[in-house]
mmCIF file of all heavy atoms in Angstrom:
data_model
loop_
_atom_site.group_PDB
_atom_site.id
_atom_site.type_symbol
_atom_site.label_atom_id
_atom_site.label_comp_id
_atom_site.label_asym_id
_atom_site.label_seq_id
_atom_site.Cartn_x
_atom_site.Cartn_y
_atom_site.Cartn_z
ATOM 1 N N TRP P 66 108.389 104.244 92.646
ATOM 2 C CA TRP P 66 109.032 105.529 92.243
ATOM 3 C C TRP P 66 109.894 106.136 93.250
ATOM 4 O O TRP P 66 111.021 106.422 93.151
ATOM 5 C CB TRP P 66 107.925 106.464 91.731
ATOM 6 C CG TRP P 66 108.570 107.846 91.375
ATOM 7 C CD1 TRP P 66 109.170 108.206 90.285
ATOM 8 C CD2 TRP P 66 108.572 109.045 92.270
ATOM 9 N NE1 TRP P 66 109.649 109.612 90.372
ATOM 10 C CE2 TRP P 66 109.140 110.104 91.530
ATOM 11 C CE3 TRP P 66 107.976 109.311 93.476
ATOM 12 C CZ2 TRP P 66 109.346 111.429 91.988
ATOM 13 C CZ3 TRP P 66 108.059 110.586 94.081
ATOM 14 C CH2 TRP P 66 108.772 111.561 93.332
ATOM 15 N N LEU P 67 109.275 106.358 94.508
ATOM 16 C CA LEU P 67 110.003 106.971 95.629
ATOM 17 C C LEU P 67 111.166 106.047 96.072
ATOM 18 O O LEU P 67 112.245 106.474 96.414
ATOM 19 C CB LEU P 67 109.088 107.346 96.735
ATOM 20 C CG LEU P 67 109.702 108.027 97.882
ATOM 21 C CD1 LEU P 67 110.432 109.314 97.480
ATOM 22 C CD2 LEU P 67 108.673 108.245 98.947
ATOM 23 N N GLY P 68 110.882 104.745 96.055
ATOM 24 C CA GLY P 68 111.852 103.823 96.470
ATOM 25 C C GLY P 68 113.078 103.753 95.581
ATOM 26 O O GLY P 68 114.250 103.776 96.059
ATOM 27 N N GLU P 69 112.906 103.957 94.304
ATOM 28 C CA GLU P 69 113.943 104.007 93.347
ATOM 29 C C GLU P 69 114.855 105.216 93.574
ATOM 30 O O GLU P 69 116.031 105.124 93.581
ATOM 31 C CB GLU P 69 113.353 103.969 91.885
ATOM 32 C CG GLU P 69 112.827 102.644 91.407
ATOM 33 C CD GLU P 69 114.065 101.796 90.923
ATOM 34 O OE1 GLU P 69 115.182 102.058 91.091
ATOM 35 O OE2 GLU P 69 113.815 100.721 90.359
ATOM 36 N N ARG P 70 114.171 106.284 93.787
ATOM 37 C CA ARG P 70 114.908 107.615 93.976
ATOM 38 C C ARG P 70 115.712 107.478 95.245
ATOM 39 O O ARG P 70 116.927 107.908 95.227
ATOM 40 C CB ARG P 70 113.928 108.795 94.104
ATOM 41 C CG ARG P 70 113.316 109.144 92.762
ATOM 42 C CD ARG P 70 112.334 110.319 92.995
ATOM 43 N NE ARG P 70 112.931 111.442 93.502
ATOM 44 C CZ ARG P 70 113.508 112.489 92.797
ATOM 45 N NH1 ARG P 70 113.495 112.330 91.530
ATOM 46 N NH2 ARG P 70 114.032 113.482 93.418
ATOM 47 N N ARG P 71 115.178 106.936 96.268
ATOM 48 C CA ARG P 71 115.961 106.779 97.632
ATOM 49 C C ARG P 71 117.004 105.783 97.424
ATOM 50 O O ARG P 71 118.148 105.997 97.997
ATOM 51 C CB ARG P 71 114.995 106.502 98.668
ATOM 52 C CG ARG P 71 114.143 107.639 99.147
ATOM 53 C CD ARG P 71 113.053 107.207 100.126
ATOM 54 N NE ARG P 71 113.635 106.532 101.209
ATOM 55 C CZ ARG P 71 114.199 107.043 102.208
ATOM 56 N NH1 ARG P 71 114.366 108.325 102.399
ATOM 57 N NH2 ARG P 71 114.774 106.230 103.293
ATOM 58 N N TRP P 72 116.840 104.755 96.689
ATOM 59 C CA TRP P 72 117.677 103.686 96.561
ATOM 60 C C TRP P 72 119.072 104.185 95.772
ATOM 61 O O TRP P 72 120.127 103.994 96.194
ATOM 62 C CB TRP P 72 117.250 102.431 95.884
ATOM 63 C CG TRP P 72 118.147 101.357 95.624
ATOM 64 C CD1 TRP P 72 118.713 100.947 94.429
ATOM 65 C CD2 TRP P 72 118.639 100.518 96.598
ATOM 66 N NE1 TRP P 72 119.553 99.849 94.646
ATOM 67 C CE2 TRP P 72 119.546 99.564 95.980
ATOM 68 C CE3 TRP P 72 118.563 100.292 98.041
ATOM 69 C CZ2 TRP P 72 120.248 98.517 96.636
ATOM 70 C CZ3 TRP P 72 119.155 99.296 98.746
ATOM 71 C CH2 TRP P 72 119.998 98.459 98.030
ATOM 72 N N VAL P 73 118.766 104.957 94.747
ATOM 73 C CA VAL P 73 119.886 105.483 93.927
ATOM 74 C C VAL P 73 120.649 106.514 94.714
ATOM 75 O O VAL P 73 121.918 106.604 94.707
ATOM 76 C CB VAL P 73 119.389 106.099 92.625
ATOM 77 C CG1 VAL P 73 120.471 106.889 91.826
ATOM 78 C CG2 VAL P 73 118.738 104.989 91.695
ATOM 79 N N ALA P 74 119.901 107.314 95.449
ATOM 80 C CA ALA P 74 120.626 108.325 96.435
ATOM 81 C C ALA P 74 121.457 107.736 97.424
ATOM 82 O O ALA P 74 122.467 108.307 97.859
ATOM 83 C CB ALA P 74 119.499 109.245 97.069
ATOM 84 N N ARG P 75 121.190 106.504 97.793
ATOM 85 C CA ARG P 75 121.963 105.827 98.875
ATOM 86 C C ARG P 75 123.231 105.158 98.177
ATOM 87 O O ARG P 75 124.061 104.553 98.982
ATOM 88 C CB ARG P 75 121.134 104.855 99.508
ATOM 89 C CG ARG P 75 119.991 105.446 100.326
ATOM 90 C CD ARG P 75 118.976 104.416 100.867
ATOM 91 N NE ARG P 75 119.369 103.884 102.162
ATOM 92 C CZ ARG P 75 119.056 104.400 103.413
ATOM 93 N NH1 ARG P 75 118.232 105.465 103.384
ATOM 94 N NH2 ARG P 75 119.338 103.826 104.427
ATOM 95 N N GLY P 76 123.318 105.078 96.857
ATOM 96 C CA GLY P 76 124.416 104.389 96.170
ATOM 97 C C GLY P 76 124.005 103.166 95.433
ATOM 98 O O GLY P 76 124.852 102.543 94.858
ATOM 99 N N GLY P 77 122.729 102.746 95.441
ATOM 100 C CA GLY P 77 122.282 101.549 94.740
ATOM 101 C C GLY P 77 122.208 101.783 93.211
ATOM 102 O O GLY P 77 122.262 102.944 92.603
ATOM 103 N N THR P 78 121.934 100.741 92.479
ATOM 104 C CA THR P 78 121.804 100.725 91.064
ATOM 105 C C THR P 78 120.308 101.017 90.666
ATOM 106 O O THR P 78 119.311 100.499 91.186
ATOM 107 C CB THR P 78 122.170 99.336 90.413
ATOM 108 O OG1 THR P 78 123.480 99.043 90.967
ATOM 109 C CG2 THR P 78 122.105 99.419 88.956
#
Side-chain angles (χ1 to χ4, degrees):
W66 172 79
L67 182 57
E69 282 280 10
R70 287 177 60 89
R71 286 174 50 80
W72 180 252
V73 172
R75 295 167 89 91
T78 305

